Every structure is written in C-alpha cells, then in structure tokens.
Amino acid sequence: MTLNLPPWRLEVLRFCCSVAHSICIGGAKVLGERALRQGHSYWFHKHSAMTSLSVFRDIPQAQKLEGSLLKIYKQDDYSNKLFLAYRVCMTDEGCPWVSFVVRKTRLQIVQDPSLNYEYLPMMGMKSFIQAALELLFGKHSQAIAEKRVGGVHTVGDSGAFQLGAQFLRTWRKNLKTVSIISCQKEQYGLIFQDMGFTVYEYVIWNPKKLCTDTSMFFEAMEHTPADSILVIGNIIDCRFSKNQWTKLMSIIKKKQIFPFFDIPCQGLSTGNLEEDTRLLQYFVSLGLEFFCSQSLSKNFGIYDEGVGVLVVAALSNRNLLCVLSQLMNYVRALWGNPPATGARIITSILCNPALFGEWKQSLQGVVENIMLIKEKVKEKLRLLGTPGSWNHITEQSGSHGYLGLNYQQVEFLTTKKHIYVPKSSRINFTCINNRNIDYITQSIHEAVMLTEG
C-alpha cells in the first residue's frame, strides 16, 4: 500500500520513526546494562562466543626442537649439572667469550659524539662490507680489485641464506633442488624448504670411522642433480687436498651447480684467518660465481647482535651490480635496514691495524685453549683405560666436535650423570674446563664401560 501524503507529512513521519528506533535501541542498551549489573550476563557471553572465533583455532603445537635440551637442563635441580651444547664459545668461568678488544671498542663507540644513529643505507654499512670482503678474500685479492665481488649487510646468522634463497627462487627458476653437505644437520635447510625448493641433506660425519669423510662428500656430490644449488656448511670441515679441490670444481662446472658457501666463524677453526677460507679463495681466483654466507658474530663474541654479509662473486662488475640491485628489493621487504652497532664495532677493529692485531691474538688464544682442552680430554680417557680410540677428538677443528658416543651412552650421561649432551654427541669443547674435566671424563668412561659389548 502506498501512502499518498504531502512532503511535509512524510518528513514528520520519517522523524518519528527515527526517534522510535533510537528509543528502542537505547532501551535495549539500558536493559542490557541493567542485566549485567544484576549478574545476568549469560546471554551476552553466549552471543560473544558465537561471534569471536579465533583465527588461530586450527594452528597445531609445533614439534619440539633440539633446543629443548637446554630447557630440560635448566629444570634439573642437581647442583653439579653440566650443559655441553652451548652454541657460543665459553670462558673458563662459564661465561660467553667476548674478545677484550670488542669490549674496548664498544666503549669508544658509545662515547663518540659524532654518531647520530641515523638509518643505514639498505645495502648496509659500506665500510663494514668492504672490511668483511677483505677479511674473507685477503686485502690484495684480485677479485676485490676487479670489483667482481660484493656484498649486502645482513641480519642474524641466517639472514644471508634467507636473502640469497629469495633471489635464486625468483631469478634462477631452473634451480629447484638444494643439496646441503655438512658435518652436521644445518638449520638453514628449513629456509630453502619453506621457499619451495626440494632439499636433500647429507651429513658427512662418519660415525664408524669417527671422522669427516671426504668420500661421503663426493658420494653426495654424485647424487646432486644437475642445475641445482649446492650448500657447503662450514667449508673448513672439508679438509680437501688440491686434487680434491680440482675434482670438486670439475663436478660443479659439469653439472652447472650453483655453490652457496657458509663461513660461520672464520678464524675459530684453525686460528688462521686465511687457512679457514683457502678453498673459497681458490674458487674465486678461477672465476667461479657463487653466494657465501659470512657470519661475523661468533668470532668477535657479539652473539646478541647477529651480523653478517651475503657475499656475491660474479664474472664481472656489471653482473655484480645487477645482482646487488635486485637484492635491494628483497632487503626492502625483509628487514629494510640492518642494525649498525655490531657492524661499527667489527669495522673499527678490522680497519685499525693495532686493534686487528689484538683481535687476531685473542682468536688464537681461544683456538689454543680449545686444542689444549681436547688434548686433556683424550689423555684422561687414555689413562682411565676407556675402550676405543679417542684420536678423533683432537683431529676435529673448531669449538664443536663429536665425542663419538652412541645413543645409550649419551642417555647415561644425561640421566645418571646430569651431563647434558645432544643425541649426536656433538659438544662444545669450550664448556669443559679444569673444574669439570675430571667429572666429565670419568662419566664418559663409565658410560662406555657400562654399554660396551
């Protein structure tokens, strides 16, 4: 039915309807507030539950990571418990090692009145990148002089892998497979996996021979498909001869493999900065193109300010500049601007000959202490008459190494002796000192004796 009313009456009718609607709504609100005041909130809670379902309701609990070993250790009330799996280098006092020159440089930077704490360029601190490249390839590197190696200042221990993987996924779509060869299972395999790559991981620690097995390395290389990415974790662990270097280069070229190296702690493996990167220098001298993750946190003791470089080696400066320009687009999306404090400390040390000398000396001191601890552990096990050969302890380089224990022996150490060791028995030897070495070696001896045969 249509009302045939004058316009002014229609306006009055609309006004009255509007007032009535407001009164109804207002009345309902008053009634609702009165009901809540009287404690009758059931209807409101029911209505709220119906309209506020969580967008996270289908998210399952993630599987526990190996890091949960530290959580179990912290929950242990035993007074003499020991944790031998810290990621960082430890001092004899049981604290994270920090080079003294780092502490000194940090104080100088804090007191520098010229610092304005402005954002860095997206590529990062240029002086830091240059100093990092010279550390990696040498100050007089021909590749640096020809400007065919460069880098991007990255965040954290895995930032370089994140950035490099983003680039390769977009610009090298034919590279769909990633082979990771290392002496241990590496965390950055997850980065490639999450980006859609098919990932194969090869651990080249031989538990029977108790060594890093180069034959296992080349066997893994045979299984690595053509047109794929090869990630070599901590190349210093692969002690190749010159002939094996040549063989590796030949396979890479034949299969059109793109190498992605990892340098996580240059100088902490042998105490010799050049020795730790000799294979990389060999590759770049022959014009091989590659990416490299260069982490500079552990070897300076700046663990909480993860800083590094994604190093790019190209055939020419023109190619390098094109790659770096594309990487900037990903930096803009990933972190926008890298942190500066750690980079400033490292740059100040690397660019000052006196500070650089102090830092090298502190690194050598850490490596010598690691070697001494390993020798003591091996000798004490020998004197105890512990079955088996323990030469593998001193034959491994770096702060971390395998004890060569089986699952039962590791379980004995954890449950009976409160010595927390990863299932792989790969421990941090800097966690062992003169105060705990006797207890640790005696416990290892008991674990082996009880499970022998």
Side-chain angles (χ1 to χ4, degrees), residues 15-84:
F15 175 76
C16 291
C17 289
S18 175
V19 171
H21 177 73
S22 299
I23 291 171
C24 289
I25 295 297
K29 185 177 180 182
V30 170
L31 287 172
E33 290 174 350
R34 187 180 298 165
L36 285 172
R37 284 197 301 271
Q38 292 174 355
H40 304 303
S41 58
Y42 170 76
W43 183 87
F44 292 95
H45 284 303
K46 182 180 178 183
H47 181 70
S48 175
M50 290 170 61
T51 57
S52 61
L53 290 174
S54 172
V55 296
F56 304 119
R57 63 186 181 276
D58 297 325
I59 308 300
Q61 185 81 22
Q63 290 184 344
K64 289 185 178 179
L65 302 175
E66 185 69 24
S68 62
L69 183 69
L70 181 58
K71 184 179 179 181
I72 298 169
Y73 163 76
K74 288 180 177 179
Q75 292 172 344
D76 190 343
D77 295 328
Y78 188 67
S79 58
N80 293 324
K81 62 183 179 179
L82 294 169
F83 189 75
L84 304 186

Side-chain angles (χ1 to χ4, degrees), residues 116-126 152-156 163 306-308 327-341 343-344:
N116 57 11
Y117 299 97
E118 179 59 276
Y119 286 118
L120 293 178
M122 274 192 294
M123 188 176 286
M125 190 182 295
K126 289 184 179 180
V152 178
H153 180 169
T154 57
V155 179
L163 184 59
V307 63
L327 288 171
M328 287 304 95
N329 291 331
Y330 302 118
V331 168
R332 186 181 288 109
L334 286 171
W335 53 74
N337 186 263
T341 304
R344 284 197 181 104

Side-chain angles (χ1 to χ4, degrees), residues 382-396:
R382 186 188 69 80
L383 292 173
L384 287 167
T386 311
S389 171
W390 298 93
N391 291 331
H392 63 278
I393 288 177
T394 52
E395 289 169 357
Q396 299 172 81

Side-chain angles (χ1 to χ4, degrees), residues 300-325:
F300 282 86
I302 312 177
Y303 312 106
D304 62 343
E305 298 179 42
V307 63
V309 177
L310 172 62
V311 177
V312 182
L315 286 178
S316 67
N317 178 251
R318 180 182 175 279
N319 292 340
L320 173 67
L321 293 177
C322 289
V323 173
L324 293 177
S325 69

Side-chain angles (χ1 to χ4, degrees), residues 373 376-377 380 432-441:
I373 285 291
K376 285 183 176 180
V377 170
K380 285 182 179 290
I432 302 176
N433 53 53
N434 290 328
R435 294 192 305 277
N436 60 30
I437 189 170
D438 289 332
Y439 180 68
I440 290 170
T441 50

Side-chain angles (χ1 to χ4, degrees), residues 392-412:
H392 63 278
I393 288 177
T394 52
E395 289 169 357
Q396 299 172 81
S397 60
S399 58
H400 290 67
Y402 289 93
L403 286 173
L405 303 180
N406 61 35
Y407 175 78
Q408 281 181 300
Q409 292 160 352
V410 169
E411 190 72 10
F412 175 84

